[in-house]
Amino acid sequence: MDRRDVLKFSALAGATGVLTLAPVNFAEADDSTGTSAGGGPGAADQTRTVTGHLPTGAADFVYLPVKVPRGVRQIAVSYTYDRPAVPAGTVGNACDIGVFDQHGTDIGGRGFRGWSGGARTEFAISAGEATPGYLAGPVEAGTWHVILGPYTVAPQGLNYSVTVTLSFGDRGDTLVPSYPRDRAPGRGRDWYRGDCHLHTVHSDGKRTLEQLVALARAAKLDFINSSDHNTSSAHAYLGPLAGDDLLVMTGEEVTTRNGHYLAIGTDPGTWVDWRYRARDDAFDRFVRQIHRADGIVVPAHPYGTSLASQWKFGYDQVDAIEVWNGPWTPDDEVSLLTWDNLLTGAARGDGHWIPAMGNSDAHRDPDVVGLPQTVVLADGLDRRSLQAGIRAGRSWIAESAAVQLAFAAAGPRGEHAGIGDRVSVAPDADVTLTLSVSGVPADSLIRLITDEGQLHAEPLPASGTLSWTTTPSYSAYVRAEVRHPAPAGDTSGLPGPAIAITNPIWLGRK
């Protein structure tokens, strides 16, 4: 069945290109297939295959309408596409896949039923179960849409084949989701360690949910956030995996064509659409959706090196910035500098600033869960308290649970402030910053950074504690870093990989 003729070329959310193909029709199950029009155990499967070609510069998303009749128990889809050789420096073919049900494909609408990106070549959905990445539930009659996402297209174009199989019969029981609780006993007001950027088999990760939570516990984390790409499918299975020792929050990594961002701690079952670019003016809408769902918005790896992962939406609407993503690499250094520039802007503006956080982005072995982790001062081990701590910048980032850190400021008359807070003193008042560090290598370097840049650096003292005095007129804020030595032979002038990074302490009156 050749569907090379495109029926419609339209625009989604303002500018993102969409191709809609000719619909695929399936016969209503009847006596000739072994059952009545309502379907039943004797109905034969029906299969249709569609082939086509996409040229270079094709739309971001290609929709294949599938007209699903009554009585369908399961819908199964598989696909293939060619990968021709391309010259060095030229992108080849990469094509993602997902599906929307009879509720339609509207941006942010009700129709989403799953997405696996390029991690799978087939999936199936029925009332009681679904392939990871997809939402179980009844297969209702109406027009479903298989969605192809030609991420990159070779100069020769992309040839694809999509096969859809409908199985008829009784639906069976519908899956009842088991969502995790939004709080755990915790230790009252304390510092809690968490990793909010993690992937499993529900997107392009290789670990099961069970394996992920086991690794989180082994890393001595207090909380994690489910953040599979563009899908909420894992949420329904997380309840039994959480416990008094581990808070599991639900969320998503939203992977647009102009950067990725984390929705952290949204209401269970919340799905956030990703089908837009910065030019579509859709981002603010989904920030509002996440906030209505009691979540927070955090750009992930703003200078990521993979295609389309660089952040293009700005920082006006976000709650924090992921400045450290996985093992320390040059793009983290650039993210850190960008964040520091934003702090400097806040110092001369209205005082509003955006905190930093760090996460592992772990997908598979040997990725280390909890490298890095964000350590948050919160009133309790519950998602709203943790989110409040992250939003306020009462947090710091650590290489592992072995790293311990305390950072505080003291004024001349007993004024005190901790990470994320302000010590309110006169512009010329002496403020003493005290940093205590343990659980780090003896050759670690301590750096104190202000709006002017690095004003103090020294090797880790034998006591593990450093004190330094400044004034608000000289330093609008002070933040601390603990670094490994620079690699041997490195002539860049940059410090070594991070061990710990704090949010700032602000100095002076507003």
Side-chain angles (χ1 to χ4, degrees):
M1 204 177 187
D2 193 338
R3 299 283 174 169
R4 295 169 188 265
D5 294 332
V6 173
L7 292 189
K8 181 170 64 174
F9 180 52
S10 61
L12 184 65
T16 303
V18 171
L19 295 176
T20 301
L21 306 175
V24 176
N25 292 295
F26 283 83
E28 196 86 32
D30 56 25
D31 290 338
S32 65
T33 61
T35 188
S36 65
D45 293 351
Q46 296 185 27
T47 297
R48 306 284 188 271
T49 296
V50 174
T51 61
H53 176 83
L54 299 175
T56 303
D60 282 349
F61 301 106
V62 177
Y63 290 94
L64 174 63
V66 178
K67 295 191 174 180
V68 176
R70 293 176 296 128
V72 173
R73 177 182 58 83
Q74 175 182 276
I75 181 171
V77 178
S78 63
Y79 81 122
T80 61
Y81 60 92
D82 65 335
R83 295 172 173 82
V86 296
T90 302
V91 297
N93 285 338
C95 188
D96 298 337
I97 196 167
V99 71
F100 287 75
D101 67 16
Q102 79 281 358
H103 292 106
T105 61
D106 290 346
I107 289 289
R110 297 171 54 203
F112 176 77
R113 290 298 292 271
W115 179 256
S116 47
R120 299 181 185 278
T121 59
E122 58 186 13
F123 63 85
I125 298 173
S126 65
E129 59 184 355
T131 301
Y134 295 81
L135 306 183
V139 181
E140 302 284 3
T143 300
W144 289 49
H145 289 81
V146 175
I147 173 176
L148 297 177
Y151 204 64
T152 56
V153 178
Q156 302 94 317
L158 184 151
N159 297 317
Y160 64 86
S161 175
V162 178
T163 298
V164 181
T165 299
L166 301 184
S167 300
F168 294 83
D170 296 331
R171 289 179 180 173
D173 295 332
T174 298
L175 174 71
V176 177
S178 178
Y179 296 133
R181 297 173 298 170
D182 65 359
R183 65 177 57 246
R187 302 179 295 275
R189 185 171 176 82
D190 203 350
W191 293 93
Y192 294 97
R193 295 173 179 266
D195 189 345
C196 292
H197 189 169
L198 297 160
H199 296 282
T200 71
V201 294
H202 284 261
S203 59
D204 60 344
K206 297 298 184 183
R207 291 164 174 158
T208 65
L209 296 175
E210 292 80 4
Q211 290 169 330
L212 175 65
V213 296
L215 289 169
R217 287 184 165 101
K220 300 181 180 179
L221 299 180
D222 299 298
F223 66 93
I224 60 172
N225 179 72
S226 172
S227 57
D228 281 303
H229 296 286
N230 303 335
T231 182
S232 57
S233 65
H235 297 186
Y237 306 97
L238 289 168
L241 304 179
D244 289 351
D245 63 328
L246 182 68
L247 179 73
V248 178
M249 298 189 293
T250 53
E252 180 181 330
E253 182 177 6
V254 186
T255 58
T256 79
R257 297 295 178 90
N258 282 158
H260 301 179
Y261 65 98
L262 303 173
I264 297 176
T266 51
D267 293 334
T270 299
W271 167 72
V272 184
D273 211 326
W274 76 99
R275 294 170 295 159
Y276 44 88
R277 295 174 182 254
R279 66 189 184 214
D280 298 331
D281 293 326
F283 176 64
D284 288 1
R285 169 185 171 185
F286 293 101
V287 169
R288 292 192 297 271
Q289 178 200 353
I290 292 166
H291 287 164
R292 286 195 303 270
D294 283 337
I296 60 175
V297 176
V298 180
H301 44 67
Y303 293 93
T305 55
S306 62
L307 184 67
S309 67
Q310 297 83 28
W311 186 246
K312 304 292 181 66
F313 293 95
Y315 297 100
D316 290 343
Q317 305 298 320
V318 308
D319 298 298
I321 303 171
E322 186 184 76
V323 303
W324 184 353
N325 175 274
W328 189 264
T329 51
D331 63 287
D332 296 310
E333 200 75 61
V334 179
S335 296
L336 183 65
L337 291 173
T338 295
W339 170 65
D340 191 73
N341 287 339
L342 292 172
L343 293 180
T344 302
R348 66 173 183 268
D350 62 3
H352 172 73
W353 62 285
I354 304 169
M357 72 179 308
N359 302 294
S360 72
D361 198 4
H363 283 69
R364 59 188 66 84
D365 293 339
D367 297 351
V368 178
V369 173
L371 171 59
Q373 55 197 252
T374 300
V375 190
V376 184
L377 179 61
D379 289 335
L381 187 54
D382 63 272
R383 64 168 170 147
R384 289 176 180 83
S385 294
L386 291 167
Q387 290 166 336
I390 293 170
R391 279 196 182 102
R394 295 191 298 268
S395 63
W396 56 281
I397 311 167
E399 186 179 57
S400 73
V403 181
Q404 303 291 329
L405 179 149
F407 187 43
R413 298 185 178 181
E415 304 93 340
H416 283 81
I419 297 171
D421 294 328
R422 176 179 292 273
V423 57
S424 183
V425 296
D428 60 349
D430 285 343
V431 177
T432 299
L433 287 300
T434 303
L435 177 70
S436 297
V437 184
S438 63
V440 304
D443 59 356
S444 299
L445 173 72
I446 290 179
R447 307 176 74 215
L448 297 181
I449 313 295
T450 77
D451 51 313
E452 193 171 346
Q454 176 184 299
L455 286 184
H456 185 79
E458 67 176 77
L460 178 72
S463 66
T465 298
L466 173 150
S467 291
W468 178 71
T469 300
T470 186
T471 63
S473 62
Y474 192 39
S475 307
Y477 65 84
V478 183
R479 62 180 185 83
E481 297 179 6
V482 184
R483 298 279 195 138
H484 290 283
D490 186 343
T491 59
S492 68
L494 294 173
I499 300 173
I501 298 171
T502 75
N503 274 297
I505 299 175
W506 295 87
L507 277 56
R509 303 187 179 107
K510 289 185 179 180

